[in-house]
Amino acid sequence: MTDNDYMSLALDLARRGMGWTAPNPMVGAVIVKDGQILGQGWHERCGQPHAERNALASCRTPPQGATLYVTLEPCCHYGRQPPCTDAILESGIRRVVVGSPDPNPLVAGKGIRILREHGIQVTEGVLREECDRLNEVFLYYIQTGLPFVVMKYAMTLDGKIAAWTGRSQWITGEIARNHVQLQRHRYTGIMVGVGTVLADNPQLTCRLPGYKNPVRIICDSTLRTPLSARVVTTASQILTIFAAGQDRPEKRRALEAAGCQVLILGDRSGRVDLPRLMKVLGAQQIDSILLEGGGTLNWAALHSGIVRKVQAYIAPKLLGGWEAKTPVEGQGVSDPADAVLLEHSTVTRLGEDILVESEVAQRVHRPC
């Protein structure tokens, strides 16, 4: 097996921490000597030992002289866990192969430098593109302090997210819907607008057994959400945040009494200031958000520049109807040259449906 093969195995291990490690990265590690795998591990949950220490702990024979494959540069500072560089040096590892560099200012090349200063051979950049993609949330959050926002929607082949009656259950099949539930586990928060709450009265939970629920974020400019809404009645069990553009003290106090957190973050028009909201949520260690809004909130999020990625679940159906809702509404752009451009698209088959995932091309996006 080659360096790429062992790093690919480390990536598979890292994915096992998906949804559990935030705001830490997903990391996998494999220890190899003379073509034999001595140990392997991954970062399982935030606050628990890192991948390198788990891999070392799993070794049944001493790892002296072995090679460690790790998807992210080893940490060299004290946080919730002690430095992984210390454990590597103590183990007698001879060579370390790294996928992604760690942009965290507390690491940022220092981990690799420490290893080299102590005589360990370090090879960098093996499967870096794959390693970077795995931790796109962490890499963005650690450098900006802002949540990585993924705009998700399900639509028909003619671009409708609901029939003209407003009915939307179900656009996609069961396999695609289960994949969405996995995304609710994967990302730290889920955000919708008040229109979705009033129309569907959703719970906004992850319905897969054994997986975690996301933090619920409701953009409700004038606090119109009824106290009987399920996101309010269950707020004592699941962290629920209301973002408002205008304060209604009596309603705000009632929501807070129900266990909700209420943020008053209005812009000049009295609507929720989405960039300010992202700063506040990032400060609360909400590193990622799955945006499941309707067309109005989706447009506002795109227009404000907070969206980093788009997930479009597309069903082989045609609904028709000039009044039927579409994924992105609002005013829209006046010229195709001003379109929000997407890049690096991938396509995944989910039963009869397909998922198209694209990154928002920030460097070429012209303001709307």
Side-chain angles (χ1 to χ4, degrees):
M1 294 177 66
T2 66
D3 284 352
N4 283 9
D5 294 327
Y6 289 120
M7 188 62 75
S8 181
L9 175 57
L11 279 164
D12 289 340
L13 292 167
R15 292 186 184 97
R16 298 187 186 185
M18 185 175 291
W20 298 114
T21 64
N24 286 349
M26 292 176 277
V27 184
V30 178
I31 299 173
V32 180
K33 184 176 182 180
D34 298 328
Q36 299 295 318
I37 295 177
L38 304 185
Q40 51 189 332
W42 67 95
H43 184 34
E44 298 177 10
R45 296 202 180 210
C46 182
Q48 295 185 6
H50 292 178
E52 298 94 325
R53 290 182 177 271
N54 282 335
L56 288 167
S58 74
C59 290
R60 295 186 177 181
T61 59
Q64 283 86 356
T67 296
L68 167 68
Y69 295 85
V70 62
T71 55
L72 185 71
E73 177 182 0
C75 67
C76 56
H77 66 287
Y78 281 90
R80 294 183 179 92
Q81 295 291 322
C84 289
T85 49
D86 289 356
I88 295 169
L89 295 175
E90 293 166 3
S91 71
I93 292 286
R94 178 183 59 83
R95 178 178 178 237
V96 175
V97 180
V98 177
S100 297
D102 189 340
N104 185 340
L106 296 174
V107 185
K110 299 175 188 175
I112 290 173
R113 185 175 70 247
I114 288 171
L115 295 177
R116 284 178 170 152
E117 288 174 348
H118 286 80
I120 293 178
Q121 179 185 350
V122 180
T123 301
E124 301 179 62
V126 174
L127 295 188
R128 176 172 177 175
E129 183 177 344
E130 292 87 341
C131 292
D132 284 354
R133 188 180 305 116
L134 175 71
N135 278 312
E136 60 187 2
V137 167
F138 169 75
L139 296 176
Y140 181 76
Y141 178 69
I142 200 67
Q143 294 179 86
T144 66
L146 302 173
F148 186 92
V149 178
V150 179
M151 188 178 81
K152 165 264 167 187
Y153 54 84
M155 70 177 187
T156 59
L157 274 176
D158 58 343
K160 308 298 184 181
I161 62 174
W164 67 269
T165 59
R167 295 185 61 180
S168 60
Q169 297 182 350
W170 295 103
I171 295 293
T172 54
E174 185 176 357
I175 295 175
R177 296 200 300 272
N178 284 339
H179 191 270
V180 170
Q181 296 302 312
L182 184 61
Q183 304 311 297
R184 290 185 176 189
H185 162 79
R186 176 181 183 178
Y187 298 111
T188 302
I190 183 171
M191 186 165 76
V192 301
V194 64
T196 297
V197 174
L198 295 176
D200 301 334
N201 193 20
Q203 295 189 73
L204 302 179
T205 56
C206 176
R207 294 189 286 275
L208 300 177
Y211 289 79
K212 69 172 179 60
N213 290 317
V215 175
R216 301 181 300 197
I217 304 152
I218 317 299
C219 291
D220 184 355
S221 292
T222 57
L223 296 179
R224 291 188 291 145
T225 300
L227 298 178
S228 59
R230 289 194 285 186
V231 290
V232 177
T233 60
T234 59
S236 59
Q237 289 84 47
I238 304 170
L239 178 57
T240 304
I241 300 172
F242 278 84
Q246 305 167 40
D247 192 11
R248 293 176 57 193
E250 185 175 344
K251 185 62 174 292
R252 170 173 50 80
R253 287 191 290 268
L255 288 170
E256 291 171 341
C260 302
Q261 179 183 350
V262 182
L263 305 173
I264 310 300
L265 298 169
D267 59 18
R268 292 181 179 179
S269 66
R271 297 183 179 276
V272 176
D273 187 323
L274 292 174
R276 283 180 61 198
L277 174 60
M278 293 304 106
K279 292 180 180 179
V280 173
L281 296 177
Q284 295 188 27
Q285 293 197 322
I286 297 175
D287 66 343
S288 55
I289 294 172
L290 185 64
L291 173 60
E292 291 196 15
T296 299
L297 181 57
N298 285 348
W299 168 251
L302 286 168
H303 188 260
S304 68
I306 68 170
V307 179
R308 307 267 75 81
K309 189 174 185 177
V310 176
Q311 290 182 331
Y313 295 81
I314 305 173
K317 300 176 181 178
L318 303 172
L319 289 180
W322 63 271
E323 291 185 340
K325 296 290 187 179
T326 58
V328 182
E329 298 176 347
Q331 182 179 1
V333 299
S334 59
D335 190 305
D338 295 327
V340 178
L341 299 182
L342 306 177
E343 62 183 1
H344 302 147
S345 299
T346 62
V347 179
T348 304
R349 185 73 178 264
L350 299 169
E352 290 298 314
D353 307 313
I354 62 173
L355 168 62
V356 180
E357 297 180 275
S358 304
E359 299 174 13
V360 176
Q362 294 296 314
R363 67 179 182 275
V364 295
H365 171 54
R366 294 166 59 180
C368 300

